[in-house]
Amino acid sequence: MTSIGTGYDLSVSTYSPDGRVFQVEYAQKAVDNSGTAIGLRVKDGVVLAVEKIKHSRLLVPHSNQRILTAGKYIGIASAGWMSDTRHLVKRVREETRNYTDTYKTKAPAHIIAERLGMYVQAYTLYSSVRPFGVSTLLACMDAKKPQLYMIEPSGHYVGYRGCAVGKGKQIAKTEIEKLDLENMTVREAAKEAARIIYSAHDDTKDKLFELELSWVCEESDGLHVHVPQDVYDQSVQFAERSLDEDDDDNEMEDDEDL
């Protein structure tokens, strides 16, 4: 049974005969065409890293950030449409404020992830709206325990130890699976996150990019902040050195084949 070209993609509220919602799939495609974003949950916090593609040399460095803060202790990284990301960040801020006003305590991570997932899913139910073209990584410290969630354009949300979205997600996932996240610190994770972003970057398609790094951890007193400059510089140097070593190993293998 096929449903390609039969008009089932005209409304987000219409299923195709084989049970697909095409506009949600199109929204996921927008995510897959965006720069890579990853999250690493380690023993003392969560590290977020983003490959921010620079489409022009005239862009001001560190502007148009793709890692944003919602409610001081919540970090959000995304892949997809940045305008949609800003809207969802605003929604998270409203949800955290409403929860705190009602219950007089900080909103748990799973509650925020659930509410954001329900909000995103609502935009897949009505023909008058379109799905959000963004996948969101939500990181925070919950009762001194690190938490990491990913919310997809369908509204589906899952907790992760490590996850990746964007055009380089397959390479990033392969590298993340090799890490011993349970015994890693945030400073070690920052270096590994930078290395993974540099490995996933495709120079043939996007030559210019800027690395964004942030964390929420015990070192930051449970607040979401961008990593200190010295940590950022060390992470970039580590990533570039690892990339050069990989290139040297590949050249040696090529020489041996000859």
Side-chain angles (χ1 to χ4, degrees):
M1 182 180 295
T2 181
S3 52
I4 297 176
T6 54
Y8 291 100
D9 59 350
L10 299 180
S11 172
V12 72
S13 60
T14 303
Y15 280 99
S16 70
D18 51 354
R20 299 166 66 182
V21 181
F22 280 102
Q23 287 201 16
V24 174
E25 295 183 16
Y26 298 160
Q28 183 61 50
K29 200 68 177 177
V31 174
D32 294 338
N33 289 332
S34 178
T36 308
I38 67 171
L40 302 179
R41 173 186 158 191
V42 295
K43 64 180 182 180
D44 58 343
V46 181
V47 173
L48 297 175
V50 165
E51 171 203 18
K52 186 174 71 176
I53 304 299
K54 298 177 68 174
H55 300 288
S56 171
R57 295 182 182 274
L58 301 178
L59 290 175
V60 177
H62 310 299
S63 62
N64 303 314
Q65 294 181 349
R66 284 183 54 201
I67 298 180
L68 303 172
T69 300
K72 292 185 179 181
Y73 61 95
I74 298 175
I76 291 181
S78 66
W81 290 96
M82 270 309 299
S83 55
D84 287 2
T85 300
R86 294 188 185 98
H87 180 83
L88 293 181
V89 168
K90 180 181 178 182
R91 182 69 184 189
V92 170
R93 289 169 179 164
E94 292 174 353
E95 291 290 352
T96 55
R97 185 169 59 249
N98 291 340
Y99 189 95
T100 301
D101 291 344
T102 303
Y103 300 103
K104 310 304 179 185
T105 186
K106 187 171 70 173
H110 72 277
I111 295 293
I112 296 302
E114 178 184 15
R115 292 188 178 186
L116 184 59
M118 291 172 61
Y119 182 75
V120 171
Q121 193 259 344
Y123 277 70
T124 68
L125 301 177
Y126 307 102
S127 59
S128 59
V129 296
R130 67 162 176 80
F132 289 101
V134 61
S135 281
T136 305
L137 306 183
L138 188 150
C140 77
M141 292 289 286
D142 188 1
K144 294 186 178 181
K145 293 183 179 179
Q147 300 289 342
L148 174 66
Y149 288 88
M150 180 172 71
I151 299 92
E152 299 176 355
S154 63
H156 180 61
Y157 70 96
V158 183
Y160 284 94
R161 280 202 169 276
C163 58
V165 292
K167 63 177 63 178
K169 67 179 180 181
Q170 293 301 332
I171 296 175
K173 285 180 180 178
T174 300
E175 294 297 323
I176 291 173
E177 290 171 356
K178 299 177 183 178
L179 302 178
D180 183 14
L181 296 174
E182 293 187 9
N183 298 312
M184 189 176 291
T185 66
V186 287
R187 286 182 172 264
E188 294 170 339
K191 293 182 179 180
E192 292 295 341
R195 180 185 64 81
I196 292 171
I197 291 294
Y198 272 72
S199 299
H201 177 68
D202 188 353
D203 284 331
T204 60
K205 295 181 179 179
D206 305 297
K207 292 189 178 298
L208 297 175
F209 82 100
E210 183 178 321
L211 173 68
E212 286 189 38
L213 272 177
S214 73
W215 63 23
V216 51
C217 56
E218 296 174 0
E219 186 173 335
S220 66
D221 294 326
L223 302 177
H224 175 254
V225 295
H226 281 78
V227 299
Q229 189 61 43
D230 63 320
V231 175
Y232 181 89
D233 293 339
Q234 292 172 11
S235 300
V236 170
Q237 292 171 7
F238 177 81
E240 292 175 344
R241 186 166 60 249
S242 298
L243 205 60
D244 291 339
E245 291 175 357
D246 290 340
D247 291 340
D248 292 340
D249 291 341
N250 293 333
E251 290 178 1
M252 291 179 61
E253 291 178 0
D254 292 339
D255 292 339
E256 290 176 358
D257 293 338
L258 294 175

